[in-house]
Amino acid sequence: MVDSIAATSFLGHRPTTYGGFCFKLDVSVKRSRLVHISSPLVKSQAIELTKEAFKIPRDIGLNRKPLSWPLENRADNPALHNPLLRQERMGSGWLTAIFEWEGVLIEDNPELEKQAWLLLSQEEGKPPPLTFLLRRIEGMKTEQAVSEVLCWSRDPSYVKRLANRKEEIHQSLQGGIYRFKPGSEEFVKILKKQKIPMALVSTRPRKVLETAILSVGGIKGVFTVILAAEDVYRGKPDPEMFNYAAQLMCFDPQRCIVFGDSNLTVEAAHDARMKCVAVAGKHPVYELAAADLVVRRLDEISIIDLKNLAALEEPEMEMEEEEDDRTLSSIATLDDFW
């Protein structure tokens, strides 16, 4: 009977918990009922019950894995006894840059993309895509745009044929002429000199991308990873391409900096827990305010800016004793109640 009273006298009922959470707490108990159960045994049992009732989990409603620390590619590693190796770790090799191709490294003409879609719709007898649809499919894979946004077909073979034809039209309009954006080639060479790993991502076919890299010259062999449309299932705003690039580079996403030219890139980068630098051009500066940094030219960015973007503060390590003190202090306020 003592156990029954200890379990019900304070709360008025046995607490119902789901996953460590107590959803109902009723402390409206009259003092007169507690006069007869003031024995030390009952009091100690009730205090233990109160501890469980007031225990609040650290991560409410979030199923996140704790961040392992220190990171494998952090800036400094005190365990290294060789000062030269430690100095190298404090350089720039602990962060990586992920570049988009068109609109970031080379000049981009949005009108060519629009004309390619219009010509394809005329060939296939489809309704011409409206302007807001063209803005929505910007950065998507062509197959994804045809089937999910334009809704021209769901047949995989037909969608693939339309995607190939659209790329052929775009390449014929483009003429195979590629030019670096002002400051982009110089910026890539600076990152190479500083030994910062770089990746290149694009929703263009790999054959088109490799041909373009060879035609511009100057950046052949500087990218550790090159991802094209064939390497992923979905394009922006899905973060799959950026996540895959970080995985291949063996870098923590929080150490990656994405360089893009649209809000879809910013959205995908942030969903991947990466920082994003937006290059204004196709879109004005005020439309790219969601990015972590907005520039007009890549050579406006310094290595210090990149380090500040990729900086990751060490999480505070909370001691269990401190948590117990907080729990006991919350219970101490009920001493007068007993």
Side-chain angles (χ1 to χ4, degrees), residues 19 156 162 215 234 298 314:
L162 290 182
S215 64
R234 303 179 65 83
L298 286 178
E314 296 189 14

Side-chain angles (χ1 to χ4, degrees), residues 2 9 16 64 125 132 138 141 188 247 257 264 274 278 295 332:
V2 172
S9 60
T16 303
R64 294 179 179 176
F132 80 95
E138 177 184 336
K141 287 188 61 175
V188 170
Q247 180 182 356
I257 303 176
L264 292 177
M274 302 178 182
V295 296

Side-chain angles (χ1 to χ4, degrees), residues 70-83 85-91 94 314:
L71 295 176
E72 183 180 354
N73 53 348
R74 62 178 303 185
D76 188 16
N77 186 3
L80 294 176
H81 301 289
N82 189 329
L85 291 178
R86 187 170 180 182
Q87 183 179 5
E88 183 180 356
R89 294 283 289 182
M90 294 178 67
W94 50 273
E314 296 189 14

Side-chain angles (χ1 to χ4, degrees), residues 299-311:
D299 56 359
E300 298 176 4
I301 311 172
S302 66
I303 300 299
I304 300 299
D305 295 330
L306 298 183
K307 287 186 176 182
N308 290 334
L309 285 175

